[in-house]
Amino acid sequence: MNASPHPEHRRTAIVTGAARGIGAAVAQRLAADGHAVAVLDLEEAAAQYVVDTITQAGGTALAVGADVSNGTGVEKAVDKITTELGAPVVLVNNAGVTRDNLLFKMSATDWDTVLNVHLRGSFLMTREVQGHMTQAGFGRIINLSSVSALGNRGQANYAAAKAGLQGFTKTLALELGKFGVTANAVAPGFIETEMTAATAARMGMKFDDLKKRAAADIPVARVGVPDDIAHAISFLASEGAGFVSGQVLYVAGGPKV
């Protein structure tokens, strides 16, 4: 991990859903890039391991517990982050859940839960943070979409949420660009995480078998890992990405429409 910049020059980043998987990898990468990182997850205790990993490597991080779909909780979380780490100017909306089922079996609760975390959560977090970005004249918003935004059997709720995030991203780019704020989406393909392992279990498959089946359809002939997504987000959060906005980057091992 690179040495952290002087506090006066260090930027504060928030990564939601950062206790494990893609979020954890992104938090660690942004810390390595020199950001002070708020590791936000539903339970503060769950985020502490990632914080400890970052601080042991010489970085700066803070564990924050919040439900991103709760407006009051989001406001309190951002206030805490601003007080303890500084005004956040990088936001990675990664928090997400799945409630997969075929449409005729999907409950309204399953629909609402997924849309609330992905879409409402990203909206609330972005609305709360954008003022800090516009005041600073610099901001980076990165929303986690998915190849499922293109449609995926058994994921009507998840696909709708991820497609919605793409429209949300493009609108943010139009509204906030003149203030020095960019907004982009990263759409992962099959990534090896606890979430995809749980998918294999629901399908009654061994995880290795699911990965082999997925890799057979991927041009680079392998499934992704969280660091693949973290590398892409590192670039989009950087100074060098200032002329990239309103884009959806498919990190999926091959072309997507």
Side-chain angles (χ1 to χ4, degrees):
M1 182 173 289
N2 299 329
S4 295
H6 190 279
E8 291 181 0
H9 306 293
R10 185 177 60 209
R11 290 184 171 128
T12 298
I14 301 174
V15 184
T16 70
R20 60 180 184 172
I22 290 172
V26 170
Q28 291 175 68
R29 176 56 189 264
L30 292 181
D33 290 343
H35 295 83
V37 181
V39 181
L40 190 151
D41 212 283
L42 192 58
E43 300 293 337
E44 181 177 319
Q48 191 59 49
Y49 174 78
V50 178
V51 169
D52 291 343
T53 301
I54 290 171
T55 56
Q56 288 167 11
T60 301
L62 173 71
V64 181
D67 176 355
V68 295
S69 68
N70 181 286
T72 301
V74 165
E75 183 178 353
K76 290 180 179 178
V78 173
D79 283 347
K80 176 179 180 179
I81 293 162
T82 303
T83 299
E84 299 193 29
L85 292 182
V89 294
V90 176
L91 172 64
V92 181
N93 285 310
N94 170 72
V97 295
T98 54
R99 296 290 187 273
D100 297 350
N101 224 327
L102 295 173
L103 181 64
F104 77 99
K105 295 181 179 179
M106 186 175 290
S107 69
T109 299
D110 288 342
W111 176 273
D112 289 343
T113 297
V114 171
L115 271 290
N116 280 341
V117 174
H118 291 271
L119 270 180
R120 177 181 168 85
S122 295
F123 158 68
L124 290 174
M125 287 296 305
T126 304
R127 187 180 64 175
E128 195 63 33
V129 169
Q130 58 82 32
H132 294 295
M133 296 179 176
T134 57
Q135 186 173 2
F138 176 94
R140 298 287 185 264
I141 301 164
I142 301 113
N143 297 315
L144 267 292
S145 182
S146 168
V147 296
S148 292
L150 303 174
N152 196 33
R153 180 180 173 85
Q155 288 194 315
N157 48 5
Y158 188 77
K162 292 306 192 182
L165 279 171
Q166 295 189 13
F168 179 60
T169 298
K170 292 177 182 293
T171 301
L172 293 176
L174 293 172
E175 291 187 5
L176 299 175
K178 65 182 179 181
F179 301 105
V181 180
T182 65
N184 293 285
V186 172
F190 190 107
I191 306 297
E192 185 176 346
T193 65
E194 291 180 28
M195 185 177 288
T196 49
T199 298
R202 285 196 301 272
M203 296 172 64
M205 294 181 65
K206 292 181 179 179
F207 191 30
D208 284 344
D209 290 340
L210 180 61
K211 288 189 290 183
K212 287 178 183 177
R213 191 173 81 175
D217 294 327
I218 298 173
V220 300
R222 70 170 177 88
V223 300
V225 295
D227 280 345
D228 290 318
I229 308 305
H231 293 317
I233 291 175
S234 173
F235 165 68
L236 292 173
S238 71
E239 288 271 4
F243 203 53
V244 180
S245 196
Q247 303 305 303
V248 179
L249 176 62
Y250 285 92
V251 184
K256 295 292 177 181
V257 176

